[in-house]
Amino acid sequence: MAEIKLIVNSKEVFARDPEQTLLSFLRDGLGLVGAKDGCSRGQCGACTVIIDKKAVRACTRKMKQLEGAVVETVEGLAQNGELHPLQQAFLYCHAFQCGFCTPGIIMASKALLDADPHPTDDQIKQAIKFNICRCTGYKQVIDAVRLAIEIADGATKLDVFDNRGWVGDNPVVKNGVERVMGQPLFTDDFHIDNCLQGRVVFPAYPHAKILSIDCAEALKQPGVVAIATHKDIPGKKFFSQELFPQQILAIDKVRFIGDPIAVVYAESAQQAYDAMPFIKVEYEVLPVIATAEQGYDPESCRVHEEYPNNFANRHVQKGDVERGFAASDVIVESDVSVGTLEHGRLELDAALAELDEKGRLVVYGTGQNPSHMRHDICKAMNLTEEQIRLVTRPAGGAFGKLEDLVCHIFAALGTMMTKRPVRVTLTRDEVNAYTTKRHALKFHYKVGAAKDGRILAMQTFTLGDTGAYSSLGDFLNSCTATMGSGPYEAPNVDFNSHMMFTNNPIAGCFRGYGSTQVSVAVETVLDQVAEKLNLSPFELRRVNGLSSGKQTPSGQIIEYSCGFHDTINAVQTAFEKDGLPAPSAPGKKVGFGVAGGFKNMGFGNGMEDGAGCSIDLRPDGKFQMYTGGVELGQGHDTVVCQIAAQTLGVPYNDVDIGPVDDDYSPYAKGSTSASRMTYCSGNAARTCSIMFKDKLLKTVGGLAGVSPSAIDMGKEGIVELKADQLLMTYAEAAKLIADNNASVKQEYYYVAGECHAPCDDNNNIDMDMINHRIHIAYLFAAQVAVVEVDEETGKVKVLRVYVSNDCGRAINPAMVEGQINGSVVMGMGYALSEKFEMEDGYIKTKGYKQLGLPTSLEMPEIKAFLIEENHPFGPYGAKGLGEMALNPTAPAILNAIYNAVGVRVTSLPVDPKKLAAAIKGDKIYR
């Protein structure tokens, strides 16, 4: 077979398989893992490289097409130890979050700048239009490309690492260099020799009894080493949920199209796939529960024989809702439906497992809840905690999807069966089938208000689809009820929420966790109330907005750190200063919409909100931190290092943080979710730093014969206070400690304040501050969206979004801005384009492109304002942000559409054809 010669990053290389993709050749053949596999179909852009001076998606090119080609990858950009201007600019502008898409975007941008060193913003957007970024919202990406042009021109010179990095500063994020250089960071970037490839077998039907599984013929196929079914799981055959458990591998029934049946372990992935058709499964097909309405029917076929399909119900009642309606001057009723959504995280699910030299099972992967994953693996494999080591890699986006166990247990099972390393990955279609989605919810809202705008009564009925297994759908059901009035006080409420089992893919945690769906319903119905009362939408929200002393539906009193009114004032002032732009052409109408939003910070509801931290002094004089919080792109690692650096009084660059690793990390109960890690992990880092500093000064003082009260920690080392001079560097202090067999390592576990589950009686007439407190804090936001609607086609373009958020103290303002920008674009997708379609339990949405995720071409202008309403118990006053900024966007866009063309849209996403028909017809979007 003739070799294929090409040049990769100025080096001559050879390929032997003409059918191999360039992406596979780079990653598996050359170990250049900067190009990422997010879809394998050229739909996400994560694998973008430059071939013969043009940006190309590497997964679309076969090696037989590349004889003599010149290929550039992100690994070839830095020269002589100096980062490329694009790499410097992406670091400085915080133009990435998880960083999974970053190498591809950088390479697409480089191809543009190589061809045209001074492009316009529109040309930049065009150049990266095939590169999906789920995190940033693209604004800071555009800023970074413009800055790179200035650096290349010599107009700007940067030292991106010259930053003290304390609270309020914007230092380069931890592992940022690895991200912009495409170095190994994510699970599938790492490879183990002699590794088997595990691939998962999924069912042919969404609901069926399994009568038999025969793997005999499949085991005879080339390269197949083992095949696992439920019978091969030595321990517990279920995971994740104690009350409504999910089967690891199907036992006697499949309940959705992604219910795994078996795992094939072979020498290559292709051999595993080739063996799958030889697995014979005999089914008895059962009726499909395709909608929540079908599940609500008590006569419908049960998804789980032991539970009714209507498995979770939450009733929240306060005051007398009928009396409230009787006293109301206007009453508005509204039906709103929001559909199932795929998270769209770019990283494909993957896990690696092996046995170490001690015989321990070592599992590598990513996830938001490592302690729960370890627990599930141990139970399934019949192992003790000491017999397993879980190493949690940073995630290529998460948004809630990584709460549930995915590939880890399949890799662990393969290694325990074969005693060999195992790698398990999912394709994009398999991710769509197997992993969790956003809950589809249907709301009926009834709201009564007085002439002055005060809400007097609010009543809701909510019907949710959690899919085949709960995945905390029961808890989400509680959230939709307890947060059912949005960021507004309603004295009389009656909220009923019901969650259904169906034969659809599992719905799970997704950024906003119920509050996002509630926001769509609340904020659109409140606009109808404002219209009936002839009140400004801003004024209606001011009249009813939560503030200190007011109560939520559960009777919780807002105690402090409530900047909701400030967020409304900020966006209103900015919007009214700019005014509405004129339509771009005849037949187009421009309108604006307002929405508020709030989100709980932390689990609350009587659960523990805790986080752990450890700090030690390394021999090189740097400070080493470990926590139990996972870096998902939200900036956890950066934030806790900034907090530690300020508390210790040392530069941020001297504080490093390691991965979440059982061998090093402190115990971490609970997941990295619920917008709680800045608060919880940040408080753990702050307190641990205080304790560590005290321990270090006492230890060094004792060993050096100096009073600990006479010394302090300085920028470069231990300083003598009176003489104001350096006593010893931190490296010297580390050597002194080691030479005397001492230790200064400090661990601390922080637990947030007391919270309780919702009461049966939510009437908090005696203003009880404790027993009705279900969350430690809340986050607040307001937005104004400006849209242009084409009356002929129904197409909606978001022109501008004004965003204001109360996140407490902004530890890293640039990262806060990034979270806001990404939330706005994600919310815009939620409103206008994103969908995940199913029919009778089968998935209609294939691949990645069909998800309808916004590209750089759709990004609106975003004007953001931070309201830093400090929380008295947050680390340096911080609360959180990651979810709350999303909530107002979709309803603000819906309200803007109504303002523009007089059509009230009550279901997402907006269908342009339906909207156009409504504009031309009776103004009802059907």
Side-chain angles (χ1 to χ4, degrees), residues 367-375 385 390 392 403 603 608-614 626-630 636 659-662 664-673 676-677 680-681 684 747-751:
Q368 293 176 241
N369 198 336
S371 59
H372 202 109
M373 287 184 175
R374 185 190 316 111
H375 170 81
E385 297 273 337
L390 183 63
T392 301
E403 284 277 3
F603 303 138
E608 179 182 294
D609 273 306
C613 178
S614 71
Y626 288 96
T627 74
V630 183
H636 168 274
V660 182
D661 183 333
D662 286 349
Y664 305 101
S665 299
Y667 172 74
K669 182 178 180 181
S671 68
T672 301
S673 61
R676 72 190 195 95
M677 296 316 291
C680 295
S681 210
E747 289 194 15
Y748 176 74
Y749 188 79
Y750 168 82
V751 178

Side-chain angles (χ1 to χ4, degrees), residues 64 92 110 147 247 267 322 383 419 465 518 621 685 708 781 856 868 897:
K64 63 185 179 184
Y92 184 82
K110 182 180 187 295
L147 178 60
Q247 55 190 354
E267 299 293 348
E322 293 304 328
L383 298 174
K419 308 305 177 187
D465 178 357
V518 165
S856 57
E868 297 186 79
I897 291 170

Side-chain angles (χ1 to χ4, degrees), residues 237-300:
K237 301 179 189 292
F238 301 89
F239 73 91
S240 279
Q241 303 138 64
E242 298 299 326
L243 184 59
F244 306 106
Q246 180 177 340
Q247 55 190 354
I248 297 167
L249 291 171
I251 300 170
D252 55 9
K253 184 179 180 180
V254 292
R255 295 178 173 86
F256 74 113
I257 203 67
D259 227 349
I261 290 177
V263 187
V264 180
Y265 303 100
E267 299 293 348
S268 74
Q270 191 57 54
Q271 288 173 327
Y273 282 123
D274 289 344
M276 287 182 182
F278 293 92
I279 298 176
K280 306 302 180 185
V281 185
E282 186 180 1
Y283 298 98
E284 178 188 325
V285 180
L286 299 171
V288 170
I289 306 301
T291 66
E293 289 87 347
Q294 290 175 356
Y296 192 61
D297 181 354
E299 300 302 317
S300 62

Side-chain angles (χ1 to χ4, degrees), residues 577-615:
K577 180 180 178 182
D578 292 342
L580 276 180
S584 63
K588 296 186 178 183
K589 295 289 183 67
V590 174
F592 78 96
V594 184
F598 90 137
K599 171 74 175 69
N600 56 290
M601 191 286 297
F603 303 138
N605 287 276
M607 294 184 285
E608 179 182 294
D609 273 306
C613 178
S614 71
I615 303 177

Side-chain angles (χ1 to χ4, degrees), residues 605-635:
N605 287 276
M607 294 184 285
E608 179 182 294
D609 273 306
C613 178
S614 71
I615 303 177
D616 203 356
L617 179 62
R618 297 193 322 222
D620 63 358
K622 304 279 188 179
F623 300 91
Q624 183 65 53
M625 285 183 66
Y626 288 96
T627 74
V630 183
E631 178 55 58
L632 309 169
Q634 85 285 35

